[in-house]
Amino acid sequence: MGALLGMLFGASSLYLVLKVGLTVSASIPVAVIAIALFRLASKAGVRDSTILENNIVQTAGSAGESIAFGLGVTMPRSSFSASTWKSRASRWWPCSARCSAS
């Protein structure tokens, strides 16, 4: 569940950072949605969740959003620096990999 919420909020965060230039933290919305989904699952007959499971889901969702934000900030910069080189296509990927790794 944490990975799915991380992908969902990561995609929305990436869209926001590329469109607007800023984003919001996804930690609290992911925590609230996780608690609601775990409560719905427990009412459906699945065992009750613990606070540690909620914490893991919140951490995974927040990490996904943070990685997407970092990628959204560095990718435009790497494409700007790649456009000044002679061979844009051959040097864009190494520059992107270096920017994303930092």
Side-chain angles (χ1 to χ4, degrees):
M1 183 185 319
L4 293 175
L5 288 173
M7 287 188 287
L8 176 72
F9 278 89
S12 64
S13 176
L14 185 61
Y15 176 78
L16 274 174
V17 76
L18 291 175
K19 191 77 169 172
V20 180
L22 58 104
T23 186
V24 295
S25 176
S27 182
I28 294 173
V30 167
V32 171
I33 291 172
I35 290 171
L37 290 176
F38 279 137
R39 292 244 173 125
L40 285 174
S42 68
K43 287 183 181 179
V46 181
R47 67 173 181 81
D48 290 338
S49 66
T50 64
I51 191 71
L52 294 175
E53 291 171 336
N54 288 328
N55 192 4
I56 290 170
V57 171
Q58 178 185 3
T59 303
S62 179
E65 186 266 338
S66 298
I67 290 170
F69 174 75
L71 185 68
V73 172
T74 57
M75 288 302 281
R77 175 62 188 133
S78 63
S79 66
F80 290 149
S81 62
S83 66
T84 60
W85 295 334
K86 289 182 181 178
S87 175
R88 179 179 181 192
S90 65
R91 296 194 180 181
W92 188 78
W93 288 107
C95 178
S96 298
R98 283 191 301 269
C99 291
S100 297
S102 61

